[in-house]
Amino acid sequence: MTATSRTHIVNKYADDVKQAIEGETASLRVLSLQIHGKPELGYEEVFAHKILTDYLETKGFKVTRHAYDIATAFVAEYESPAATAAAAAGQKVKAVGYCSEYDALPGIGHACGHNLIAIAGVASALGVKAVLEKHNLVGRVRLIGTPAEETTGGKIPLIERGAFDGLDACMMTHPAPADIVYNTVLSVGGVFVEYFGKASHASASPWEGVNALDAMVTAYNSIGLLRQQTAPTSRVHGIITNGGQAANIIPEYAAGKIMFRATNVDDHKKLRGNVMRILNAAAESSGCTVKITEEMEYKPVPHNELLASRYTAYTEDLGVKYIPRAMQEAAPSGSTDMGNVAHYVPGIHPVYNIVSLDGEISTEVSNHSIMFTEQAKTEVAHKATLRSAKGLALTGVDVLVEEGFSEAVKDDFEKRVPKEGVDSAVQRLKVFSTANAGGCGCH
């Protein structure tokens, strides 16, 4: 692979990757539409799990269903004969990974386009496998089927149980209304808070009661006041899920869900601490007891510079038009458990435009909307998905076969990821205050 200009990379295996993915266009389209037509919530993706694993098995991958004791997770891996021989001789064999997601949202189906993420991961793995197989190069490619991204994060237990061990890099791509590589993907923490008080008649003897709703309202309002002392790059939001059963009864139980987000680990920890103090103080001030259940903890995504720049170059060659990096970084975004993966092994999480193949950013079709659900089954969305997958596959091939590239990727990872724990949002505010772009609105 040779860099011939700032954005153009020559990859001698490019035709093999493109042909492998384009040759499966029709079958991948069928998979995508099948998953789109039968949306399943997190950890309930039984249908998607079956059709994806069945398909991958027919394409020559070694498939592990219900991987790591997670019913709807899977691992599909291909190892070249040369890699098998090298491993037997005690040599290191490089491996690149991809993630597929396939869970849907309640009520609006695949409004985040996970039917497309599912086939993007498959297509990327097919492209790398074709190169390894045709040329018998030393290397492995692993596709990891990761459930429940929209809820509690299936990648987190998969990390803990070893699904990402041994990978030199892991990548995925996400549909959006814009093409963005350097999106600032936030961390997110989610808690379910319950307050327990004492019921009494609201008119005859209110002084006998302990009002759990008062605690919940105090917490909700205090979080609203906290925003004044929260960095502009951070977010905190929530809802009250239970405020009592009748207006003439002092509520003995109230509950809510609170989420908090930040651009880096340090700010996330600070915001989490503030939220926890508020939730506990609300109980103390009202005389209630409190139970706090932490439901999710996604880390921000530290984009690997080497992987990101290589993916950018390949996708630009395929026709993608990107806005300036500062505008990409300023685009509003959500959160994903891919951040946890990218803190474990080098990774990237670009987003790609499923509304336009010419780079026009949509302000009408946003993630988590019914319009996005409809867009996720269009031919334009399918073409955009395979274009992004080609970029990921070509980047993955470089990880496996280009001399020195995986080592440089690892070096960038080791330098970058620890800094996520000490960077403050103040250092990032200049970008956010001087640049503006249409956001991907994903996750």
Side-chain angles (χ1 to χ4, degrees):
M1 277 53 69
T2 306
T4 58
S5 71
R6 183 167 180 262
T7 60
H8 180 66
I9 304 291
V10 177
N11 186 317
K12 67 179 182 180
Y13 304 110
D15 288 342
D16 296 328
V17 167
K18 294 173 185 176
Q19 289 170 11
I21 293 175
E22 290 167 3
E24 294 296 323
T25 295
S27 60
L28 292 169
R29 177 86 169 130
V30 169
L31 282 175
S32 173
L33 293 178
Q34 285 180 318
I35 294 170
H36 188 282
K38 193 176 176 64
E40 300 166 298
L41 301 181
Y43 292 123
E44 299 175 6
E45 313 97 325
V46 175
F47 176 74
H49 176 275
K50 175 175 172 48
I51 64 172
L52 289 168
T53 54
D54 287 352
Y55 175 86
L56 288 160
E57 207 162 50
T58 66
K59 298 303 171 182
F61 289 87
K62 179 182 177 182
V63 176
T64 302
R65 296 172 172 83
H66 322 299
Y68 298 95
D69 296 320
I70 300 174
T72 53
F74 68 81
V75 173
E77 190 165 77
Y78 174 78
E79 177 181 280
S80 67
T84 302
Q91 301 172 21
K92 173 178 167 52
V93 176
K94 295 177 183 178
V96 65
Y98 299 99
C99 291
S100 284
E101 298 171 357
Y102 33 87
D103 59 319
L105 289 158
I108 52 176
H110 281 288
C112 215
H114 288 196
N115 61 303
L116 300 172
I117 298 175
I119 67 162
V122 173
S124 300
L126 285 171
V128 176
K129 176 179 179 290
V131 172
L132 295 178
E133 195 169 33
K134 179 177 179 180
H135 302 280
N136 195 25
L137 302 174
V138 176
R140 298 189 184 103
V141 59
R142 184 186 308 166
L143 175 63
I144 304 166
T146 61
E149 187 274 338
E150 296 288 0
T151 51
T152 58
K155 295 181 188 65
I156 297 171
L158 285 167
I159 293 169
E160 294 169 349
R161 299 174 192 182
F164 296 89
D165 289 357
L167 294 179
D168 292 273
C170 189
M171 297 171 279
M172 65 169 287
T173 187
H174 197 297
D179 291 299
I180 298 177
V181 177
Y182 299 97
N183 48 329
T184 302
V185 182
L186 306 178
S187 67
V188 64
V191 300
F192 179 60
V193 58
E194 299 172 277
Y195 291 103
F196 302 90
K198 178 184 176 183
S200 67
H201 196 288
S203 176
S205 55
W207 54 86
E208 297 289 346
V210 178
N211 197 320
L213 181 58
D214 282 353
M216 188 67 243
V217 170
T218 298
Y220 186 86
N221 288 338
S222 297
I223 285 170
L225 295 173
L226 173 66
R227 291 192 181 96
Q228 186 180 28
Q229 278 71 50
T230 298
T233 50
S234 298
R235 301 287 185 268
V236 57
H237 43 91
I239 59 171
I240 297 174
T241 59
N242 191 317
Q245 302 304 312
N248 62 348
I249 302 173
I250 298 297
E252 65 178 348
Y253 177 81
K257 289 196 173 190
I258 308 296
M259 300 177 77
F260 42 93
R261 307 174 190 252
T263 57
N264 60 79
V265 172
D266 186 55
D267 289 344
H268 178 92
K269 289 178 179 178
K270 178 180 178 181
L271 185 55
R272 177 189 177 279
N274 289 338
V275 168
M276 292 301 181
R277 279 190 289 274
I278 285 172
L279 298 181
N280 284 293
E284 181 72 21
S285 66
S286 63
C288 292
T289 58
V290 62
K291 178 182 178 182
I292 302 171
T293 304
E294 298 196 54
E295 296 185 324
M296 64 190 309
E297 197 80 19
Y298 294 1
K299 294 181 179 180
V301 177
H303 296 291
N304 187 277
E305 282 291 332
L306 279 296
L307 297 175
S309 61
R310 192 62 61 94
Y311 170 84
T312 299
Y314 284 135
T315 50
E316 283 180 335
D317 283 347
L318 292 167
V320 178
K321 300 177 178 67
Y322 291 107
I323 57 177
R325 177 166 176 169
M327 295 178 69
Q328 294 185 44
E329 291 174 339
S333 185
S335 310
T336 171
D337 56 356
M338 185 61 188
N340 298 62
V341 175
H343 274 78
Y344 192 72
V345 296
I348 53 172
H349 183 275
V351 303
Y352 63 95
N353 193 334
I354 65 167
V355 182
S356 169
L357 295 173
D358 299 319
E360 182 178 347
I361 297 174
S362 173
T363 58
E364 297 180 354
V365 181
S366 62
N367 294 68
H368 289 210
S369 72
I370 193 66
M371 292 181 67
F372 202 90
T373 306
E374 293 302 310
Q375 190 65 30
K377 63 180 180 181
T378 64
E379 187 65 35
V380 170
H382 182 70
K383 290 179 179 178
T385 300
L386 297 193
R387 182 167 68 176
S388 182
K390 290 173 186 175
L392 288 185
L394 289 167
T395 304
V397 169
D398 289 350
V399 170
L400 297 180
V401 305
E402 182 178 334
E403 185 176 354
F405 185 65
S406 67
E407 290 77 10
V409 165
K410 182 179 180 181
D411 183 62
D412 181 81
F413 171 77
E414 292 179 344
K415 290 177 179 177
R416 184 175 306 278
V417 171
K419 292 182 182 180
E420 291 294 317
V422 295
D423 285 349
S424 75
V426 174
Q427 295 169 303
R428 300 172 184 248
L429 292 184
K430 290 183 181 179
V431 172
F432 277 77
S433 61
T434 59
N436 186 29
C440 61
C442 55
H443 326 306

